[in-house]
Amino acid sequence: MRVYFEFIKNGAQTELAYRMSVFLRIASQLFILVVRVAMWNALLRAAGGGVATDMGYINLEDMMTYNVMSSVATILISTTVLNEVDEKIKSGQVSIDLIRPFNFKGSVFCSTIGTNSVKALIEALPLLIVSILLYDISIPSMQYQLLSLFCLANALILLFMLNYVLGLLGFWYLSVWQFRMIVGMLIMILGGQQIPLWFFPDYLVDASVYLPFRLVYFAPLTIFLEKTSLIDSLSLILQQFLWIGFLIFIEKTVWSRGIKKLVIQGG
Amino acid sequence: MGNLPLYRGFLTAHMKAQMEYRFGFFVEHLVLMLYYCISYLGLWIVLEKFQTIAGWTFYEVLLLFSLNLFAYSLSSFFFGFGSMRSMDRLVQQGTFDSLLIFPLNPLIHLALKHFSNSYVAHSVLCIVIFVVCFEELDIRLGPLDVLLFCVVLIGGALIQAAAMISTGTISFWFVRSTSAVDGAMQYTAKFVDYPIVIYQRWVQVVLTFVLPFAFISFYPAETFLGRNNTSVLHGVLIFDPLFQFGTPLVGAVLFYLAYMFWKRGINRYQSTGT
């Protein structure tokens, strides 16, 4: 009899652990959010409730919104494509994928879409709800909402392409995880995931214009906060398209070279 | 302490294995250091714009960061991933059971067997940053101060170790909750990267009396930076000056409690024959 009870306990524990891990992910996002909001609160309060920057006056509500939406956006556009591609190349599975009648990149992209759709519902939505209850968030007008959403979709593709191309480097270098760790961190910092570009020193802002990173996190967020005019918002979205196009071009080149190397090696 | 030569053997064997691939060893550490430096970049950007956070300047906050990171890395040498923080995996895979056969205290055995050297990078970086911070803040430390500082560092590591050991011990009761507890512990520890005055009163109380992570960075920093209760934000003066010397005591007490907890866990584990 006792054996069966152990099975019941085991089943319950497994299910609980699964739910727990989802709950945990939301909880950890909340933890991080609480720290960030507290930090920005302290900073802005000391500065007198707000601070003037090149892109307008930033107040407490702006930063709260930025922090919350940044956490939400991070969940929505996250991708594991880097690891997936890396593993497929190392294990040699990529050669099997070549034989398959569908596009390798397309399949990986679609799995990202699938994963993120579920994440949107199970992680992002609860986080958003809790955040709205806890903090004052400013919601922009309809057109800015649509614009920022469109920008976010582009950001997803952009982040995907960046990671994908980095992943393809696995054809040449066996162990580049350290390099990727650093690039990942750079994307986060220069992309404005933690700190909005409004607060960057001038030379960093100027430099970031030549890099695609700010288009990943900062662009959709700044549009959401209505800190950019309609024209500038559209310009940002256009830049996203340009970078995506450029990355696709690079990807095709790297991919064909990589496949050639793979074939020659008899991988 | 007749086991001392054994411990030395463990350590040597581990270091030798790592040094085999010498180039990778250095590159990996260099990269880790770079990684943390970049995260400090974020802090620098913010404080460049805002000058202070709750009255703490860049180098003062950097000191907080580094005290926290050092405690984390020193503790992780022995009780990090692969040891206490991975107890769920070790128990489930039966690896832990194999340790119980040895005539060695399983906690110590695990701590030394696992000895993860990758935290050398963190530790060295922290020490460099300590020096830089004190330099930039024009703080001269006499030999007694340096001694006290080292005691504080060890105290902080003991606090983190207590947290990690508790995390591992939980797995004797709830195997699958280990990562949950681990996450909660470590995220809470991250709170003390910043001066705790920026948080609401109840958070400060929790960080001082319930999960005393504040003793790792905040209270020692208050002493060494000569701040002496000048940290005020939510209209609150931070506790008693005596707290500033609490770190080693809190560390020792917590570590002892965690060890007792561990012993209870092990007893239960062995007696139920799981």
Side-chain angles (χ1 to χ4, degrees):
Chain A
M1 199 58 224
R2 198 177 153 75
V3 175
Y4 294 110
F5 180 66
E6 290 299 324
F7 272 108
I8 295 177
K9 208 168 91 171
N10 202 29
Q13 265 200 34
T14 311
E15 185 61 26
L16 209 65
Y18 181 66
R19 304 265 168 232
M20 275 289 263
S21 76
V22 174
F23 171 71
L24 267 178
R25 266 180 283 172
I26 303 177
S28 62
Q29 297 277 13
L30 267 172
F31 263 97
I32 301 174
L33 196 61
V34 168
V35 177
R36 279 167 63 176
V37 170
M39 193 188 87
W40 284 104
N41 243 335
L43 284 170
L44 287 172
R45 283 241 180 82
V51 65
T53 65
D54 285 337
M55 297 189 216
Y57 188 73
I58 312 293
N59 60 23
L60 244 91
E61 204 189 8
D62 288 330
M63 271 323 293
M64 299 268 219
T65 312
Y66 193 94
N67 280 319
V68 170
M69 297 317 286
S70 174
S71 293
V72 171
T74 305
I75 299 175
L76 291 176
I77 69 175
S78 69
T79 172
T80 53
V81 64
L82 190 65
N83 287 330
E84 281 177 44
V85 171
D86 195 35
E87 252 160 58
K88 292 211 176 203
I89 294 181
K90 297 231 191 323
S91 67
Q93 229 223 316
V94 65
S95 41
I96 302 177
D97 286 314
L98 285 172
I99 308 175
R100 296 207 171 127
F102 49 80
N103 187 304
F104 178 62
K105 181 173 80 207
S107 65
V108 181
F109 182 69
C110 288
S111 87
T112 297
I113 299 276
T115 312
N116 285 19
S117 307
V118 175
K119 273 187 168 180
L121 221 58
I122 297 186
E123 284 182 40
L125 195 60
L127 184 68
L128 191 60
I129 294 174
V130 173
S131 304
I132 291 181
L133 292 171
L134 285 175
Y135 305 117
D136 292 318
I137 317 261
S138 61
I139 311 281
S141 63
M142 215 33 188
Q143 45 180 329
Y144 272 99
Q145 275 185 51
L146 286 172
L147 271 178
S148 65
L149 206 62
F150 193 65
C151 192
L152 193 66
N154 271 358
L156 171 73
I157 303 176
L158 187 59
L159 188 66
F160 176 82
M161 285 308 298
L162 279 168
N163 278 296
Y164 187 72
V165 171
L166 276 178
L168 291 182
L169 289 180
F171 278 128
W172 288 272
Y173 301 105
L174 271 180
S175 173
V176 281
W177 66 268
Q178 305 100 324
F179 172 66
R180 288 169 186 166
M181 222 168 79
I182 294 195
V183 173
M185 180 126 244
L186 280 174
I187 294 181
M188 267 172 54
I189 300 225
L190 293 175
Q193 199 238 10
Q194 310 264 334
I195 305 157
L197 263 73
W198 309 312
F199 302 123
F200 278 34
D202 289 328
Y203 54 89
L204 271 182
V205 176
D206 294 334
S208 71
V209 170
Y210 299 104
L211 295 166
F213 305 134
R214 84 193 196 293
L215 300 168
V216 176
Y217 294 105
F218 183 65
L221 290 172
T222 193
I223 294 178
F224 189 83
L225 281 162
E226 297 196 30
K227 291 293 172 195
T228 52
S229 65
L230 227 54
I231 309 276
D232 286 334
S233 306
L234 289 169
S235 148
L236 282 173
I237 294 182
L238 183 67
Q239 287 176 49
Q240 283 182 320
F241 277 121
L242 288 174
W243 273 102
I244 293 174
F246 179 60
L247 282 170
I248 292 183
F249 171 70
I250 295 203
E251 177 258 325
K252 290 218 184 299
T253 321
V254 173
W255 174 254
S256 59
R257 292 252 178 91
I259 294 299
K260 225 190 298 182
K261 178 173 186 283
L262 190 71
V263 168
I264 291 173
Q265 279 193 326
Chain B
M1 271 295 146
N3 285 320
L4 208 57
L6 189 62
Y7 302 162
R8 220 181 310 144
F10 269 126
L11 219 69
T12 324
H14 199 107
M15 294 308 284
K16 276 189 181 166
Q18 290 298 319
M19 292 305 260
E20 284 248 316
Y21 189 32
R22 223 168 300 179
F23 182 66
F25 181 80
F26 284 117
V27 167
E28 183 177 325
H29 285 246
L30 225 67
V31 165
L32 271 171
M33 287 201 217
L34 192 61
Y35 176 79
Y36 280 101
C37 285
I38 296 183
S39 60
Y40 295 150
L41 178 69
L43 182 70
W44 179 82
I45 292 177
V46 171
L47 284 171
E48 186 80 343
K49 177 84 189 174
F50 287 91
Q51 302 309 310
T52 68
I53 170 166
W56 290 62
T57 61
F58 175 64
Y59 287 104
E60 292 176 326
V61 182
L62 199 58
L63 188 66
L64 286 179
F65 261 77
S66 301
L67 282 167
N68 206 4
L69 186 60
F70 189 85
Y72 173 81
S73 58
L74 189 56
S75 172
S76 295
F77 267 117
F78 305 100
F79 307 111
F81 287 117
S83 174
M84 288 295 110
R85 293 173 73 187
S86 305
M87 273 301 279
D88 51 353
R89 180 170 52 88
L90 293 174
V91 166
Q92 283 178 322
Q93 290 177 352
T95 319
F96 183 69
D97 287 11
S98 62
L99 291 178
L100 295 174
I101 307 174
F102 289 83
L104 199 60
N105 183 328
L107 182 66
I108 300 178
H109 190 166
L110 201 58
L112 288 170
K113 171 176 183 253
H114 147 73
F115 188 85
S116 177
N117 67 282
S118 60
Y119 293 99
V120 170
H122 302 59
S123 312
V124 169
L125 181 67
C126 286
I127 294 178
V128 170
I129 294 188
F130 290 145
V131 175
V132 169
C133 284
F134 284 126
E135 202 38 57
E136 292 288 331
L137 292 167
D138 256 336
I139 296 177
R140 301 265 168 270
L141 294 176
L144 205 63
D145 294 321
V146 173
L147 189 65
L148 185 63
F149 193 68
C150 291
V151 170
V152 159
L153 289 179
I154 297 177
L158 285 175
I159 298 177
Q160 259 289 10
M164 291 187 186
I165 294 177
S166 307
T167 305
T169 313
I170 295 278
S171 61
F172 288 134
W173 281 273
F174 306 105
V175 175
R176 277 175 253 262
S177 304
T178 310
S179 53
V181 178
D182 183 54
M185 283 288 190
Q186 292 309 317
Y187 278 118
T188 312
K190 286 239 134 251
F191 272 62
V192 301
D193 276 341
Y194 303 101
I196 64 173
V197 271
I198 67 177
Y199 307 119
Q200 295 168 309
R201 192 88 201 274
W202 67 273
V203 178
Q204 296 175 24
V205 172
V206 167
L207 288 172
T208 309
F209 294 107
V210 180
L211 295 172
F213 289 115
F215 282 97
I216 297 179
S217 62
F218 183 70
Y219 293 115
E222 287 251 292
T223 321
F224 284 96
L225 294 172
R227 295 188 67 90
N228 297 314
N229 292 342
T230 58
S231 294
V232 181
L233 188 66
H234 287 274
V236 172
L237 208 57
I238 293 300
F239 307 115
D240 201 278
L242 281 177
F243 274 50
Q244 295 167 354
F245 305 102
T247 304
L249 188 65
V250 171
V253 169
L254 284 179
F255 190 79
Y256 176 74
L257 288 174
Y259 185 63
M260 288 294 119
F261 186 38
W262 165 265
K263 280 179 82 169
R264 265 197 73 203
I266 274 243
N267 276 336
R268 182 190 178 276
Y269 183 72
Q270 286 180 302
S271 64
T272 56
T274 312

